[in-house]
Amino acid sequence: MPEREPQERKTNSLGSGVIVDGVEGYVVTNYHVIENADEINVRLHDGRSFAAKVIGTDPEADIAVIQIPSSDLYGIAIGDSEGLRVDDFVVAIGNPFGLGQTVTSGIVSALGRQGINRDGYEDFIQTDAVINPGGSGGALIDGQGRLVGLVSAIFTKDSDANIGVNFAATMKLVLRVVNDLKDHGRVIRGKPGFGVRELTERERVALSGAAIDRVARGGAAIEAGLEVGDVITAIGG
């Protein structure tokens, strides 16, 4: 039998996003929602659909900014994620399983969670508001309807069932990334250029802080005159 030519397979991936600037048409979502996409289409709650272009991505923080034509769009009010407290009421809005806009509610279970996105930068709000597949990139809003987080991760065990342990990147982190992507097309991060270790018991008698155990060549630390064995007792004053 003659060999069959390989056929291209088209696949669709569903996720969520949030309009953060209605004037310019900027939408923020997770990087993994649009990763490797050839085409991106944004469908609004009112049924309108737009082709989107990528403004910039930050895989390390799992954040992407895309843009759609700005016609009769409304950006969500931005809240203060730093003002959140454990037990605050929050609402998650997304597009689970492609069903369309869905709203769930819960509380802030914890703040400053790390170790979720092990290969990148992270500052997560943990919530028990139900988030299911397709909800990534959706909005986490506070009781006043302000955006305080970007839904980013779901913790599951043996199945895809939601067990009430869900995570959203704080708006402090998201806005930093969004502004850099809009202004520069990439995220600019400073690197200190040194590593630290805990002080030994003998060192703690005279000092408190962290001891430098390595300094990178050509980095900011070596330019500042830091050396292996120095002890950092304070940062930024």
Side-chain angles (χ1 to χ4, degrees):
M1 295 179 63
E3 293 186 3
R4 299 175 64 180
E5 294 185 4
Q7 295 181 340
E8 291 186 0
R9 291 187 60 191
K10 293 184 177 181
T11 60
N12 295 320
S13 176
L14 296 174
S16 305
V18 187
I19 299 174
V20 292
D21 186 335
V23 176
E24 298 294 334
Y26 289 119
V27 179
V28 64
T29 185
N30 285 141
Y31 169 71
H32 73 259
V33 170
I34 67 165
E35 185 179 6
N36 300 322
D38 295 320
E39 297 179 1
I40 302 172
N41 291 292
V42 175
R43 186 176 182 85
L44 303 185
H45 182 53
D46 61 13
R48 289 184 292 166
S49 182
F50 301 95
K53 68 176 181 179
V54 177
I55 299 300
T57 64
D58 182 22
E60 292 179 308
D62 194 20
I63 294 171
V65 177
I66 60 178
Q67 187 177 33
I68 59 177
S70 54
S71 175
D72 298 323
L73 300 178
Y74 297 91
I76 191 170
I78 305 298
D80 178 17
S81 58
E82 292 187 277
L84 283 178
R85 297 291 182 267
V86 172
D87 205 31
D88 279 355
F89 175 80
V90 287
V91 171
I93 304 176
N95 178 34
F97 305 110
L99 294 172
Q101 182 169 297
T102 300
V103 178
T104 58
S105 65
I107 63 169
V108 173
S109 305
L111 296 166
R113 288 294 197 209
Q114 298 184 351
I116 313 303
N117 179 16
R118 297 184 183 278
D119 297 325
Y121 294 87
E122 54 188 2
D123 181 13
F124 285 112
I125 303 163
Q126 182 181 329
T127 177
D128 66 350
V130 175
I131 299 166
N132 287 298
S136 293
L140 187 74
I141 65 175
D142 63 15
Q144 286 73 48
R146 301 170 301 186
L147 184 66
V148 292
L150 186 73
V151 173
S152 301
I154 304 167
F155 184 85
T156 60
K157 281 214 167 187
D158 299 326
S159 68
D160 289 334
N162 190 286
I163 59 175
V165 181
N166 308 296
F167 302 94
T170 64
M171 283 314 297
K172 179 182 179 181
L173 173 63
V174 173
L175 289 178
R176 161 81 191 282
V177 171
V178 168
N179 290 333
D180 272 2
L181 292 178
K182 286 165 55 178
D183 296 341
H184 310 291
R186 64 187 180 91
V187 177
I188 301 172
R189 293 187 175 95
K191 295 185 177 180
F194 64 87
V196 297
R197 61 169 174 80
E198 292 185 4
L199 298 180
T200 64
E201 291 186 10
R202 177 177 295 181
E203 290 169 333
R204 289 197 198 100
V205 173
L207 299 166
S208 62
I212 295 177
D213 64 355
R214 62 186 182 280
V215 178
R217 293 182 180 179
I222 199 167
E223 290 182 8
L226 296 181
E227 300 178 357
V228 172
D230 287 348
V231 175
I232 299 173
T233 60
I235 296 177

